[in-house]
Amino acid sequence: MAVTGESDIMETITLRNGVRMPVPGYGTYKLPDDPSASEAVADAIRCGYRHIDCAAFYKNEKSVGDGIRDGLRTCGLRRDDIFVTGKVWVSDRSYEGTFRSFRRSIEDLGLDYFDLLLIHWPADIHEHEDWEQINLDTWRAFSELYGKGLVRAIGVSNFHPKHLEALMKTEIAPTVDQIEFHPGYMQTETVEYCRTNVIAVEAWSPLGRGKMLDDPVIKEIAGRYGKSTAQICLRWIVQHGVVPLPKSSSAARIKENLEIFDFAIDSEDMKRIDDLPLSGWSGHTPENIKFK
Ligand code: A2P
């Protein structure tokens, strides 16, 4: 899916159901539930981010919500000028649990709808014999929230093709899969499946938890383009048609991570980054992660 846009600060992609998602998104994982998180989120909006990626599991939705309100107020923006994502954690991964999680997150964030709601991790066979049914029951609740207009788009996170397949047969197919994606960990099979099925891909840990910032190949490329290694990683992701969700607690780096639309990486350098060996990987997959 190509990233297309209007300005050189914030671009958008259009999801299968016509909803436009601003690129990049600002990630809120690991922000503490205190005023520093509110400040970081408000700074992100003031810098130009129009997409905030949240989750119940991050346990900071109250502070993030305060930051969203502060950012909107100081920029003279309205709620519908920004795109907010929420996620349902595995402990609420069921039909009833989805509604419970949705109500709690919406209340904590102080919002009345999500632009996008994701199943945070799929149920997988290594922990659940009835994994397909758990995912389908959860998805039925997602589809109802969508039908009621309480979420503008629905999707998943960390799903591999085998988890996506069951949901693709339902009436409303997922529009997004948010996965770990960065130089050194490309998940080509999942990205190809998503491309074929018109599912937009978002990248969590786009800098490989910061580990890719010291990679010698990326450093050398960054030097030639006059850009930071973070900007090279994020631009490489965008050129793959994937939506990066950089997170930073520093105002200067939040701004730096948005300045990725005034240059392009040529095909030779793209290939050199594509070819980097496995690196910066979290080690987590839906097949090995333990929630029980
Ligand atoms: P900080 O919050 O101090 O900026 P990832 O998103 O891949 O998990 O990486 C997140 C890490 O990368 C955080 O430790 C964050 O630290 C750091 N980071 C984010 N943006 C930049 C940047 N532009 N330059 C250097 N480090 C960055």
Side-chain angles (χ1 to χ4, degrees), residues 191-212:
V191 172
E192 279 306 313
Y193 180 92
C194 288
R195 194 156 288 144
T196 307
N197 289 283
V198 200
I199 298 169
V201 178
E202 295 183 310
W204 62 257
S205 265
L207 312 174
R209 270 150 305 283
K211 289 196 188 109
M212 299 318 291

Side-chain angles (χ1 to χ4, degrees), residues 15-249:
L15 305 179
R16 192 200 300 104
N17 66 347
V19 167
R20 284 158 70 104
M21 173 195 277
V23 182
Y26 176 69
T28 62
Y29 183 39
K30 297 232 163 119
L31 288 181
D33 196 19
D34 68 22
S36 69
S38 313
E39 192 56 31
V41 172
D43 273 344
I45 294 173
R46 286 192 279 267
C47 281
Y49 286 83
R50 296 292 176 261
H51 172 172
I52 312 292
D53 183 78
C54 314
F57 177 69
Y58 304 164
K59 297 187 173 50
N60 56 12
E61 286 176 309
K62 284 196 173 139
S63 304
V64 169
D66 287 343
I68 291 175
R69 268 183 301 285
D70 189 29
L72 292 181
R73 188 178 46 79
T74 50
C75 293
L77 297 172
R78 296 185 321 223
R79 164 66 182 92
D80 61 3
D81 291 320
I82 57 161
F83 185 103
V84 182
T85 299
K87 304 189 196 89
V88 172
W89 186 241
V90 297
S91 47
D92 285 323
R93 198 178 42 200
S94 65
Y95 179 78
E96 294 297 339
T98 295
F99 293 108
R100 187 167 59 229
S101 169
F102 171 79
R103 280 193 299 269
R104 205 189 309 119
S105 288
I106 281 289
E107 193 183 318
D108 285 354
L109 283 158
L111 303 175
D112 47 17
Y113 68 92
F114 276 119
D115 295 276
L116 175 66
L117 189 67
L118 306 177
I119 304 180
H120 207 141
W121 284 89
D124 182 78
I125 186 117
H126 79 288
E127 287 196 316
H128 303 276
E129 251 177 54
D130 56 344
W131 62 280
E132 276 185 302
Q133 197 54 47
I134 295 172
N135 292 335
L136 279 168
D137 287 346
T138 309
W139 193 246
R140 193 158 48 86
F142 270 62
S143 303
E144 285 182 25
L145 287 170
Y146 179 69
K148 288 182 180 149
L150 293 167
V151 294
R152 295 176 66 229
I154 50 177
V156 297
S157 183
N158 300 301
F159 275 49
H160 282 171
K162 68 168 174 285
H163 306 109
L164 280 162
E165 249 151 39
L167 303 192
M168 291 309 293
K169 293 183 198 125
T170 65
E171 203 179 326
I172 304 165
T175 53
V176 169
D177 191 3
Q178 182 181 125
I179 59 172
E180 180 174 357
F181 181 94
H182 50 77
Y185 192 62
M186 286 184 73
Q187 302 215 55
T188 308
E189 196 196 328
T190 299
V191 172
E192 279 306 313
Y193 180 92
C194 288
R195 194 156 288 144
T196 307
N197 289 283
V198 200
I199 298 169
V201 178
E202 295 183 310
W204 62 257
S205 265
L207 312 174
R209 270 150 305 283
K211 289 196 188 109
M212 299 318 291
L213 300 171
D214 295 322
D215 180 88
V217 171
I218 296 179
K219 271 186 164 167
E220 186 274 318
I221 293 172
R224 264 190 294 114
Y225 286 76
K227 286 283 172 181
S228 72
T229 50
Q231 288 168 329
I232 295 294
C233 290
L234 299 171
R235 179 69 204 184
W236 172 86
I237 291 171
V238 164
Q239 286 185 217
H240 275 293
V242 173
V243 179
L245 304 171
K247 54 181 183 287
S248 173
S249 45

